[in-house]
Amino acid sequence: MTTATAPPSGPPPVIGAPHTYTSVTDKIAGIVLTQRTGRGWLFGFMLGLALLGLLALAVTMLLYLGIGIWGVNVPVAWGFAITNFVWWIGIGHAGTLISAILLLLRQEWRQSINRFAEAMTIFAVMCAGLFPILHLGRPQFFYWLTPYPNTMSLWPQFRSPLVWDVFAVSTYFTISLMFWYVGLIPDLATLRDRSQSRIGRVAYGVFALGWRGSARHWQRYEIAYLLLAGLATPLVVSVHTVVSFDFSVAQLPGWHSTIFPPYFVAGAIFSGFAMVIVLAIPLRAAYGLQDLITERHLQNMAKILLVTGLIVAYGYFMEGFMAWYSGNRFERYVQLNRIVGPYGPAYLGCLLCNVALPQLLWLQRVRRSAVALFVVAVFVNIGMWLERFVIVVESLHRDFLPSSWGMYYPTVWDWATLFGSFGIFLTFFFLFIRFIPMISIAEMRMLLEEERGEAAA
Amino acid sequence: MTDAALVRLERRALAVGTAALIVAAVGAAFSPAAFFRAWLVSWLFCLSIPLGALAIVMLHYLSGGSWGIVIRRVAESTAVTLPLLALFFVPVVLGMHVIYEWAEPGAVAADPVLQYKHAYLNVPFFLARAVLYFVAWIGVAAVLVRWSAERDVVPDLDPRRFRLFAGPGLVVYGLTVTFASIDWAMSIEPRWSSTVYPMMFGVGQVLAGFAFTIAAAVLLRDREPFGRLVNPANLVDLGNLMLTFVLLWAYLAFTQLLLIYAGNIREEVTWYLAREQPGWLGVAFALIGVHFFLPFALLLQRAVKRNPVALATVAGLILVMRLVDDYWLVLPGIRGAERFHWLYVVTPLAVGGLWLAAYARRLRGLALVPANDPLVEQAMAAHGH
């Protein structure tokens, strides 16, 4: 029996309750194999399906009637669709960051949260990828974005970051999916071996790829996992860097800013960790996982939230200061318009959610309270959506020439597509927690082994 | 490096520094402008080491890990040079009028942009800000050094207070370095601005801090028990951290170039146009090759990171390139600055020599292994992964 008790001054333990290999496996695999489908799960899944229905309706209308059903027009040609794209792709950064970078940094606490954070990443990137395609106007020609030989003299403009996006996002999605799947293989084999039903044995068995847990399997698995982590790490940075280029290569005031790449990457991690917290806190309460997703995890995630939030705040501050310092009247006007212009509440809301509220995380009491942390994280997610809205819309709606100014008002279909995208996310996420172990059983067993070693030493 | 060797190093550094200072002073009589330019670069370079090192110490208090124990004392000790560097600010003040266009009343009167910026870029406010930065840095450094020394004596000192101080301390560091970089380096081209510039400057400082402290730790490894800390496992971690900052520096430098190139706005491209003049373009390629690709390729290899001499050599190379980068940031922006002047070589020797002498003096007899820190045992026992 291994009890992981930390010294009183040290951080709380990674695994809370006394656990053994069997009890860890029973607990995590049991959620998938033996627990009955709970009412909460059914409710969440139904909610996801309902929103998915809403999305289906909105997309059908869009394809039937055209982009005109959205509020976008000249001058604001990028409305909710691009805002939602950047927001979802930002959320999709935490999973791979937790899995790859924290793996390379040997932060063992990542092991309880990486599985569902990676799943979250994949579903968020799926949501994100939807929006640029819908925004194309003729989504059926999306493949024109790829360089392929054709008779139409059609070739992508490789100087455009919008084309780089296609490659960055699709590479990121592929690597994230591979990373998640490779990490799943040992657990799928565990489920195959424990499943009571024939369907379960066959289904898990097919995806377990004949895993037998031999030493050779483990050795190759570890190498593959580490290599994928190495590949995924630069991608975490590159995707949001390219997304920031979508704006910052332009000359538009408020878009053309050299701090955009690091500040977008920090913002992506900020929103991604906020979403992990929003998902982790209800999940651990609903499935009684407090001993596996412990106070230590919440505290560490809160700290990362605080640090990335400070970098984001620094980005806002530098934009404001340099607009004044540069003496460029258009830059200064954009900053002023953000506060007192027609979309002022969006920017002030963004400052409240992303700059003011996260400062509460300096207090240990807030970091320790699951409820307070959950509330802050929800506001961060709202704030980050507002930030992208401000960036996309503010700069477009009033540029250099007052004669070309205009307003953007989202229509009911804009909102339906935004909320509908949650349908994809929630549906997949609830299917994931019902059919796949949401915490890596294999890694928890390794963690127990390590803690046992430490206790003996 | 024994105490006797440290004394020899101190004497030699002092001798070289004094001799170079005398030669530079003679040069200053003939070409004062070149002297002041070279002084600013040398001073910014030397200043980057203690500031970067202090940021690293605070970063370590927040993040933990064995690596920080290895360089904590050598990093903290750089703080002793901050008052000297504050004194070395005097020639910058004396040379303001040849370095900073906005400090010449004539130039300001002729240019509406400089008049607009006069609210920020004016001599009294510039000096007041400099005083504020040094008060903040010396204050933060004094607390870190004193508490660290206190823990050697008082075993049960509350370890939480280091973390509680390091968080706000890093915020102070970030903000002061942001404005210091705008004041001292970016405002050399007063019509130009870039929002990422201060961050790039700060990352360069932390990189210099890592390179210097790693090299210092390796040179001091024959002291016991300190030598047991400088083991391959900890060196690999330190090498990886240095690699991270090499990458971060390259990332920020590259994205700034790409965005300004793509935007192609008249006020912005001037910065790169000045830096692609013959002579400077070669420096730019040297930065790409020797400040990024070479250390990147070397630091990816575990064998290099595990070998103390190899790692210290890479660190020394990075340190030299930091000086080159400081030249590249500052000189092309100054109107009429020569591409090369013999003072550009002698002045860094003067500032650097005197700085190193002050630092070596501090190390003499210093306990390099902090006592009463639970991480020490872990750091000494660390073995390769």
Side-chain angles (χ1 to χ4, degrees), chain B residues 132-150:
Chain B
L132 183 75
Y133 305 148
F134 271 102
V135 167
W137 296 333
I138 292 174
V140 168
V143 173
L144 288 175
V145 171
R146 206 181 72 209
W147 284 6
S148 178
E150 268 176 28

Side-chain angles (χ1 to χ4, degrees), chain A residues 241 251 256-258 314 324-325, chain B residues 116-117 178 194 251 263 268:
Chain A
T241 300
Q251 296 179 342
H256 185 72
S257 183
T258 50
Y314 179 83
W324 175 76
Y325 174 87
Chain B
Y116 168 84
K117 296 198 176 184
T178 292
S194 164
Y251 169 74
E268 285 188 354

Side-chain angles (χ1 to χ4, degrees), chain A residues 7-11 303 364 367, chain B residues 57-64 69 72 76 143-144 147-148 150-152 154-168 370-376:
Chain A
S9 63
K303 285 177 187 168
Q364 197 170 34
R367 293 200 300 265
Chain B
V57 170
M58 291 191 279
L59 221 55
H60 177 246
Y61 281 132
L62 290 178
S63 73
I69 292 294
R72 180 185 292 165
E76 277 170 0
V143 173
L144 288 175
W147 284 6
S148 178
E150 268 176 28
R151 179 149 63 177
D152 280 3
V154 190
D156 48 356
L157 198 63
D158 179 15
R160 266 190 70 208
R161 72 181 202 177
F162 292 96
R163 285 207 304 276
L164 291 177
F165 181 76
N372 301 321
D373 191 320
L375 280 175
V376 172

Side-chain angles (χ1 to χ4, degrees), chain A residues 457, chain B residues 66 69-70 225-234 374-385:
Chain B
S66 303
I69 292 294
V70 184
F226 180 67
R228 286 169 56 207
L229 282 179
V230 191
N231 56 40
N234 290 331
L375 280 175
V376 172
E377 209 175 315
Q378 183 193 330
M380 289 205 174
H383 46 78
H385 296 273

Side-chain angles (χ1 to χ4, degrees), chain A residues 48-185:
Chain A
L49 280 183
L51 289 170
L52 197 61
L54 180 68
L55 181 74
L57 177 67
V59 171
T60 309
M61 291 298 281
L62 180 83
L63 296 180
Y64 186 63
L65 292 172
I67 284 282
I69 65 166
W70 287 349
V72 289
N73 209 330
V74 172
V76 185
W78 284 4
F80 267 27
I82 303 302
T83 307
N84 299 342
F85 162 68
V86 181
W87 187 70
W88 275 120
I89 202 117
I91 287 171
H93 273 61
T96 313
L97 178 100
I98 292 172
S99 317
I101 297 184
L102 298 186
L103 172 74
L104 297 179
L105 291 178
R106 289 186 233 114
Q107 298 282 326
E108 81 280 14
W109 59 274
R110 58 174 269 288
Q111 288 169 343
S112 324
I113 53 171
N114 67 338
R115 170 69 49 74
F116 74 84
E118 283 169 34
M120 179 199 85
T121 286
I122 290 161
F123 306 144
V125 174
M126 283 162 57
C127 294
L130 186 69
F131 285 99
I133 291 177
L134 291 179
H135 196 262
L136 288 174
R138 289 182 288 172
Q140 67 273 28
F141 295 129
F142 73 94
Y143 59 91
W144 287 7
L145 288 163
T146 55
Y148 73 102
N150 59 67
T151 54
M152 299 180 288
S153 298
L154 198 67
W155 197 243
Q157 167 56 282
F158 277 107
R159 286 188 165 199
S160 167
L162 299 178
V163 173
W164 308 346
D165 258 342
V166 177
F167 296 102
V169 174
S170 53
T171 315
Y172 184 63
F173 181 73
T174 313
I175 294 285
S176 299
L177 192 65
M178 292 286 295
F179 198 52
W180 183 64
Y181 178 60
V182 169
L184 262 174
I185 290 171

Side-chain angles (χ1 to χ4, degrees), chain A residues 234-278:
Chain A
L235 286 173
V236 174
V237 176
S238 74
V239 174
H240 231 68
T241 300
V242 171
V243 170
S244 82
F245 287 163
D246 291 345
F247 302 97
S248 51
V249 296
Q251 296 179 342
L252 214 53
W255 280 14
H256 185 72
S257 183
T258 50
I259 205 167
F260 261 37
Y263 139 75
F264 263 56
V265 172
I269 298 167
F270 186 46
S271 65
F273 264 88
M275 193 56 115
V276 174
I277 291 171
V278 168

